[in-house]
């Protein structure tokens, strides 16, 4: 076995290296298409973090990131404000589509 190695593994990586450009582009695209946006980041366990975007026009969508740190960095790069929690004003701004209401009703009725 060799005494040393010419490569070094590091446990810490910078967030800039971890933030996918596609994630930032998706958030920017949503915000541009809906007159701006705000985000709420939800931890979803091993899957990572869900970024729920709420547009100024009431439309909403989501993106997934590897973890909450990456999600916050992606929102910052995209210029989207991250809310700390689901505030009443933000929820009142959301306008779910009729298709979403129908799909939620089917899930409730199927139980």
């Amino acid at each position: 076995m060799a005494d040393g190695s010419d490569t070094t593994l590091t446990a810490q990586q910078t967030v800039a290296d971890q933030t996918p450009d596609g994630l930032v582009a998706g958030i920017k695209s949503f915000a541009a298409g809906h007159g701006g946006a705000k985000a709420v980041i939800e931890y979803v366990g091993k899957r990572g973090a869900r970024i729920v975007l709420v547009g100024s026009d009431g439309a909403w969508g989501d993106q997934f990131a590897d973890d909450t740190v990456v999600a916050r960095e992606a929102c910052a790069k995209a210029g989207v404000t991250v809310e700390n929690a689901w505030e009443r004003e933000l929820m009142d701004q959301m306008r779910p589509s009729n298709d979403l209401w129908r799909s939620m009703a089917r899930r409730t009725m199927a139980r």
Side-chain angles (χ1 to χ4, degrees), residues 33-54:
H34 297 283
K38 291 185 180 179
V40 176
I41 297 173
E42 300 173 338
Y43 175 70
V44 289
K46 289 182 180 179
R47 291 188 61 200
R50 180 181 183 204
I51 306 168
V52 181
L53 300 163
V54 181

Side-chain angles (χ1 to χ4, degrees), residues 38 40 50 52-61 86-97 100-101:
K38 291 185 180 179
V40 176
R50 180 181 183 204
V52 181
L53 300 163
V54 181
S56 296
D57 62 355
W60 62 280
W86 284 104
E87 299 292 333
R88 182 178 183 92
E89 293 82 19
L90 186 60
M91 291 182 71
D92 286 345
Q93 185 178 343
M94 293 177 75
R95 299 287 175 243
S97 68
L100 179 62
W101 285 116

Side-chain angles (χ1 to χ4, degrees), residues 71-82:
R72 286 187 180 280
E73 183 65 25
C75 289
K77 284 184 176 181
V80 172
T81 304
V82 176

Side-chain angles (χ1 to χ4, degrees), residues 3-6 10 13 16 30 33 41-42 45 47 59 69 84 92 97 104 108-109:
D3 290 335
S5 174
D6 61 349
T10 57
Q13 293 179 340
F30 181 87
I41 297 173
E42 300 173 338
R47 291 188 61 200
V69 174
N84 289 329
D92 286 345
S97 68
M104 288 189 294
T108 302
M109 299 297 268

